[in-house]
Amino acid sequence: LVGATTTWLVCSGLVEAGVLGSSVYPLFDAARAVGNPIVINALFTGTILSCMASANGCITDSSRAWYAMSRDTLIPEIFGVLHPKYKTPYRAILFLLPIAIAFGYTGMLDQVVTFSILSALLVYIMSAIMMVKFRRMYPMGTIQREYVSPFHPVPSIILMVIAVMAIVGMYFGYWINILGGLAFYFLASLWFKKRREHYIDFNSFIGNADAWPRAEGY
């Protein structure tokens, strides 16, 4: 919060609001407004390194997510295989890498980042909802807990409010991205539900955590 607030304050003081709001690279544009070659080159280098690190992290995280979903029978089993030597989900990496590169070459960095942020916000909202639902399904004292969230459900409510406010704020500039993202996840949810029904009867597992299937190694 401190870092983001400082960045907003500095950038809005260096670049006109209209220009800053439509900029695809607001930090770099703010650096160019300073006019100092050292500042410009330093922020340019930092931006390139951060983009590379972010892309590498996304590929690594997403490949592990695809591996886990494949092991849970949510997506085809072909992605649930580890490399015999490096123990990495290499099939998922090889599948997702060209997709990530293709998005990078579109030049629409702000659109891609917006979709990524929307995905994270949806995860936060669903996590908060499931926290409340889980506590109702298994009240205190019914199962063993390694950690107990204090002041429940206040943290979950605060998280949901902040996430929803962020999505509302995004709507004014990227409403097409938000609607497209929601449509994508709606269709993906239908796919997961339809595919999962071939493997498991959800009704037989409701309220019975011991009966939940667990993949080998989890």
Side-chain angles (χ1 to χ4, degrees):
L1 289 176
V2 173
T5 302
T6 303
T7 302
W8 293 336
L9 179 63
V10 173
C11 290
S12 60
L14 293 171
V15 182
E16 184 181 351
V19 177
L20 189 64
S22 60
S23 174
V24 179
Y25 313 100
L27 287 177
F28 184 62
D29 286 341
R32 290 194 299 180
V34 175
N36 189 320
I38 297 178
V39 175
I40 297 175
N41 291 327
L43 196 53
F44 173 78
T45 303
T47 301
I48 295 298
L49 292 177
S50 64
C51 288
M52 293 175 60
S54 178
N56 183 64
C58 289
I59 294 172
T60 303
D61 294 344
S62 58
S63 64
R64 283 290 175 180
W66 277 57
Y67 169 76
M69 289 191 295
S70 177
R71 294 292 297 272
D72 287 337
T73 68
L74 292 173
I75 59 177
E77 291 77 6
I78 189 175
F79 298 107
V81 179
L82 293 177
H83 191 277
K85 179 178 180 180
Y86 300 107
K87 306 302 179 183
T88 56
Y90 68 102
R91 292 181 178 178
I93 293 176
L94 294 176
F95 179 77
L96 295 171
L97 182 60
I99 297 177
I101 294 176
F103 272 113
Y105 273 101
T106 61
M108 298 183 295
L109 182 61
D110 57 334
Q111 308 291 330
V112 178
V113 171
T114 300
F115 182 81
S116 176
I117 294 174
L118 174 63
S119 303
L121 291 173
L122 292 177
V123 170
Y124 299 152
I125 293 174
M126 293 303 298
S127 298
I129 293 175
M130 293 309 298
M131 178 65 184
V132 176
K133 183 177 180 180
F134 182 83
R135 183 65 67 88
R136 290 180 178 177
M137 291 174 59
Y138 303 99
M140 297 297 297
T142 57
I143 61 173
Q144 181 181 356
R145 285 174 163 83
E146 300 297 332
Y147 172 79
V148 177
S149 176
F151 310 112
H152 178 80
V154 175
S156 298
I157 295 175
I158 294 176
L159 175 59
M160 282 190 285
V161 171
I162 294 176
V164 171
M165 290 176 60
I167 292 179
V168 172
M170 291 169 53
Y171 177 83
F172 293 102
Y174 297 93
W175 65 272
I176 296 180
N177 300 63
I178 293 179
L179 296 181
L182 293 177
F184 168 79
Y185 283 116
F186 175 75
L187 296 175
S189 299
L190 294 180
W191 157 262
F192 290 150
K193 184 178 185 302
K194 182 176 179 59
R195 180 177 177 79
R196 190 63 165 166
E197 287 177 346
H198 292 293
Y199 296 90
I200 185 173
D201 180 10
F202 284 109
N203 294 326
S204 63
F205 294 102
I206 295 177
N208 185 11
D210 294 332
W212 293 354
R214 290 173 173 82
E216 180 182 355
Y218 278 70

